[in-house]
Amino acid sequence: MKLLTLAASAAVLFGLASQSARAETPEEIAFGFGQFTGAATFCKLPKDKVQAVAAGLLGTAGIDMSGPGPEMTKFKEGVTDGVRSMQAPDASSCEDVTTAFNQAYEKLQ
């Protein structure tokens, strides 16, 4: 299974108002954003941009990043999972992750 199934992650990234995004809990959304952040980190994308995208995605989803909470716990678990998943034989390519990341970065600007 591809990491975060980039198509599903793109749906969440660009369709926060869509039915599929509304059906997910804040913790599930935070986990998915964490996976995306972990994949971007694994692919050695610029740290400042990765942090900006993570903050923008979490903020857009209404997730409070200011302190420990269930959403931020799931986000951190997602980051770890994203890095680990990128090491799997069937992982998304860093090219695909970079493309999705750049689209998210542009959208958040």
Side-chain angles (χ1 to χ4, degrees):
M1 182 164 75
K2 293 273 185 186
L3 169 76
L4 14 126
T5 323
L6 283 176
S9 103
V12 172
L13 293 175
F14 301 113
L16 285 173
S18 74
Q19 287 292 55
S20 64
R22 287 185 204 165
E24 295 182 2
T25 67
E27 291 84 3
E28 290 169 328
I29 292 170
F31 186 82
F33 290 160
Q35 286 182 310
F36 187 65
T37 302
T41 300
F42 177 86
C43 292
K44 298 184 181 0
L45 295 172
K47 186 177 182 175
D48 60 329
K49 286 187 176 181
V50 172
Q51 290 173 339
V53 168
L57 292 172
L58 292 168
T60 299
I63 296 172
D64 180 15
M65 303 177 307
S66 65
E71 293 92 358
M72 289 311 294
T73 298
K74 288 306 243 180
F75 175 78
K76 290 176 185 176
E77 290 172 5
V79 171
T80 300
D81 185 67
V83 170
R84 183 178 44 246
S85 295
M86 287 300 293
Q87 298 170 11
D90 62 344
S92 299
S93 70
C94 279
E95 182 178 326
D96 289 344
V97 171
T98 300
T99 298
F101 175 84
N102 287 336
Q103 289 172 346
Y105 185 77
E106 289 295 318
K107 182 132 179 122
L108 290 167
Q109 292 303 307

